[in-house]
């Protein structure tokens, strides 16, 4: 087991991890007035379920602060995630916007395979 800290070159190589998912942090917009959401939500739920069944959404959550939804998406390109989310009823109605965060394996795990 190597107990030496990684060299700068190792850190640069290890930190270049592949994108394996996109984390989508949803937030209601000003257009998402509570009295308008109810009419859209049955369609949103149906279309979101269709994305899950198609393998594009792996997990979904409600934000505990009530500000929207969080999706763990099975896509590697934020542009694809954006297109899928904008096509949902809340996206089409301009009621929800998403911060998209490309994610991948923890790069420090690569240190476990270092020699010597």
């Amino acid at each position: 087991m190597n107990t030496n800290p990684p060299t700068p070159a190792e850190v640069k190589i290890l930190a270049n991890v592949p994108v394996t998912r996109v984390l989508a942090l949803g937030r209601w917009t000003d257009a998402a007035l509570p009295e308008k959401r109810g009419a859209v939500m049955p369609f949103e739920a149906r279309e979101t379920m269709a994305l899950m069944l198609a393998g594009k959404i792996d997990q979904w959550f409600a934000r505990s602060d009530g500000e929207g939804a969080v999706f763990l998406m099975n896509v590697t390109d934020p542009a694809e995630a954006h297109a899928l989310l904008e096509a949902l009823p809340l996206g089409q109605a301009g009621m929800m916007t998403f911060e998209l965060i490309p994610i991948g394996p923890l790069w420090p795990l690569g240190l476990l395979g270092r020699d010597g």
Side-chain angles (χ1 to χ4, degrees):
M1 179 174 165
N2 188 339
T3 58
N4 296 322
T7 66
E10 287 176 315
V11 169
K12 185 175 183 180
I13 290 169
L14 293 171
N16 189 17
V17 298
V19 173
T20 57
R21 302 276 189 282
V22 172
L23 182 64
L25 305 174
R27 183 171 296 280
W28 297 113
T29 67
D30 291 339
L33 300 172
E35 60 271 16
K36 291 186 177 184
R37 292 182 204 168
V40 178
M41 291 309 293
F43 302 101
E44 180 74 10
R46 189 175 303 119
E47 295 298 318
T48 301
M49 178 61 78
L51 286 179
M52 185 176 189
L53 292 173
K56 296 297 183 175
I57 293 177
D58 185 49
Q59 297 178 39
W60 66 51
F61 305 92
R63 291 177 54 145
S64 63
D65 61 7
E67 289 297 319
V70 176
F71 300 127
L72 180 58
M73 301 189 70
N74 287 323
V75 299
T76 58
D77 182 2
E80 180 182 3
H82 177 78
L84 291 169
L85 296 169
E86 286 297 311
L88 291 172
L90 288 173
Q92 290 180 11
M95 292 185 178
M96 187 163 288
T97 186
F98 286 89
E99 176 185 358
L100 302 175
I101 304 170
I103 57 175
L106 287 171
W107 71 265
L109 295 177
L111 297 174
L112 297 174
R114 289 174 60 217
D115 291 329

